[in-house]
């Protein structure tokens, strides 16, 4: 299934990208507060693609990845996922936990790390929604975050199957978050898939439709 991007003019595409750019800036600030460290952010790249082509914009299908998923409802309903490579996700979780887990059973360690990753994803995705809310005045209640670990291709197959039911256009925002005074960096991608009609409502609210 393809997305008719010809239906968007350059002003509308720029407005949608601006939402992504502001959201990425908010995410870096929110992550900095969570970690108590300075977080630098590369200039984000925001683009609209088909939800069925998302995997092509991130990495190899065989790469191990971690995804944090939330659902936003209200006046602008959409699904969002924060995607990271597994190794970087683990390093970020360890930085947040700041304690030695080596003496714990593996299942307990994984649960603690998933809890930390859910918090990171929730804060980063929440920052995007807060940017959207500030620009529109909409209240956007969200679901409890869910965490998935698998090969990138498998995660994106599930994302396409789930999100494709609701809508086929995805806003991708890719950037690298670098934690100062640490070797940790996270090359993350936020995927926002608006429900049918939501993107048009957003453009109307932003005054470009």
């Amino acid at each position: 299934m393809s997305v008719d991007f010809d239906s968007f003019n350059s002003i509308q595409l720029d407005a949608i990208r601006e939402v992504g750019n502001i959201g990425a800036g908010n995410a870096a600030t929110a992550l900095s507060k969570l970690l108590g460290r300075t977080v630098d952010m590369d200039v984000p790249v925001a683009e609209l693609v088909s939800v069925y082509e998302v995997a092509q914009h991130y990495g190899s299908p065989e790469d191990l990845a971690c995804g944090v998923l939330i659902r936003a409802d209200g006046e602008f309903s959409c699904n969002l996922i924060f995607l990271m490579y597994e190794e970087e996700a683990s390093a970020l979780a360890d930085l947040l936990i700041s304690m030695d887990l080596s003496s714990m059973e593996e299942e307990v360690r994984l649960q603690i790390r998933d809890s930390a990753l859910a918090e990171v994803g929730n804060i980063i995705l929440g920052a995007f929604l807060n940017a959207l809310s500030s620009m529109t005045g909409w209240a956007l209640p969200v679901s409890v975050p869910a965490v998935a670990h698998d090969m990138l291709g498998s995660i994106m197959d599930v994302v396409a199957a789930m999100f494709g039911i609701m809508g086929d256009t995805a806003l991708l925002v890719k950037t690298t978050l670098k934690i100062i005074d640490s070797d940790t960096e996270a090359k993350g991608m936020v995927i926002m898939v608006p429900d049918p009609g939501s993107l048009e409502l957003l453009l109307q609210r932003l005054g470009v439709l």
Side-chain angles (χ1 to χ4, degrees), residues 33-162:
K33 290 179 179 178
L34 177 66
L35 295 173
R37 297 168 180 253
T38 301
V39 175
D40 281 348
M41 179 187 70
D42 288 349
V43 176
V45 177
E47 55 190 329
L48 281 174
V49 303
S50 166
V51 69
Y52 302 100
E53 299 172 358
V54 167
Q56 303 172 21
H57 293 259
Y58 193 67
S60 168
E62 291 79 27
D63 288 338
L64 293 177
C66 170
V68 183
L69 169 70
I70 65 172
R71 166 82 184 166
D73 287 305
E75 293 169 283
F76 179 82
S77 51
C78 64
N79 291 293
L80 300 101
I81 186 170
F82 179 55
L83 198 63
M84 295 173 285
Y85 289 115
E86 183 67 43
E87 184 176 350
E88 294 175 353
S90 294
L92 187 58
D94 289 344
L95 189 63
L96 179 60
I97 295 167
S98 297
M99 61 183 291
D100 184 8
L101 305 180
S102 59
S103 62
M104 300 181 184
E105 296 182 1
E106 183 177 5
E107 184 177 349
V108 176
R109 291 201 305 269
L110 293 177
Q111 288 175 349
I112 293 174
R113 280 181 173 160
D114 273 1
S115 178
L117 289 170
E119 181 66 13
V120 169
N122 194 42
I123 284 179
I124 287 176
L125 296 174
F128 271 82
L129 289 174
N130 286 340
L132 191 59
S133 183
S134 295
M135 296 173 73
T136 62
W138 288 335
L140 302 170
V142 300
S143 66
V144 175
V147 181
H149 301 272
D150 208 328
M151 290 189 297
L152 175 62
S154 298
I155 291 178
M156 297 318 303
D157 284 346
V158 173
V159 168
M162 291 173 57

Side-chain angles (χ1 to χ4, degrees), residues 181-203:
D181 298 326
S182 168
D183 294 330
T184 304
E185 67 176 30
K187 297 180 180 67
M189 180 166 71
V190 171
I191 307 164
M192 176 187 290
V193 184
D195 286 4
S198 288
L199 200 52
E200 288 75 12
L201 286 175
L202 174 60
L203 294 173

